[in-house]
Amino acid sequence: MTIRKKLYQILEKPRDNYSVINIMLVVLIITNIVALILESDASLYIQYEKYFWGFELVSVIIFTVEYGIRVWVSVESPHTIHHSIKTRLHYLFSPMALIDLIA
């Protein structure tokens, strides 16, 4: 089994309808929402600006890597006829991928 196929199974076909990675991504999303709410308080933002900025930077890196991996492994879908750029473009313009990109 290739690394790409293994990553596809972890991200897209978890055994119990969830995976540790997907749970961690959901927790990161919720934590980002909480941070955004806390940042709206000017006194908190001024006091913890470095931490908010650092957390945001780490989050963007994690989400960017995750997005890139999902694009890379999209050719492993059983619905894919051939592994090509066309398949990846189809994934990129899917509703879920567009929502991820916008977010």
Side-chain angles (χ1 to χ4, degrees):
M1 181 179 299
T2 65
I3 292 173
R4 186 174 65 197
K5 190 169 203 83
K6 182 70 173 167
L7 285 171
Y8 175 81
Q9 289 180 340
I10 290 169
L11 291 172
E12 302 294 337
K13 301 290 182 196
R15 290 188 179 160
D16 300 323
N17 293 327
Y18 67 90
S19 71
V20 173
I21 291 176
N22 287 332
I23 290 171
M24 289 170 48
L25 289 169
V26 169
V27 168
L28 186 58
I29 290 167
I30 292 168
T31 308
N32 271 276
I33 292 168
V34 170
L36 185 64
I37 292 167
L38 293 175
E39 279 183 38
S40 67
D41 181 332
S43 63
L44 277 177
Y45 181 75
I46 291 168
Q47 187 174 358
Y48 298 105
E49 181 178 1
K50 290 189 306 189
Y51 299 106
F52 285 126
W53 187 87
F55 178 69
E56 186 174 338
L57 179 64
V58 169
S59 295
V60 167
I61 290 169
I62 290 170
F63 288 131
T64 302
V65 168
E66 182 248 349
Y67 186 79
I69 290 172
R70 285 188 189 272
V71 171
W72 182 55
V73 304
S74 65
V75 296
E76 295 296 335
S77 171
H79 303 91
T80 303
I81 296 172
H82 25 72
H83 306 303
S84 68
I85 192 74
K86 196 182 247 186
T87 302
R88 289 190 174 105
L89 287 172
H90 183 265
Y91 173 79
L92 283 171
F93 291 103
S94 69
M96 289 306 293
L98 289 172
I99 290 169
D100 281 349
L101 182 63
I102 292 167

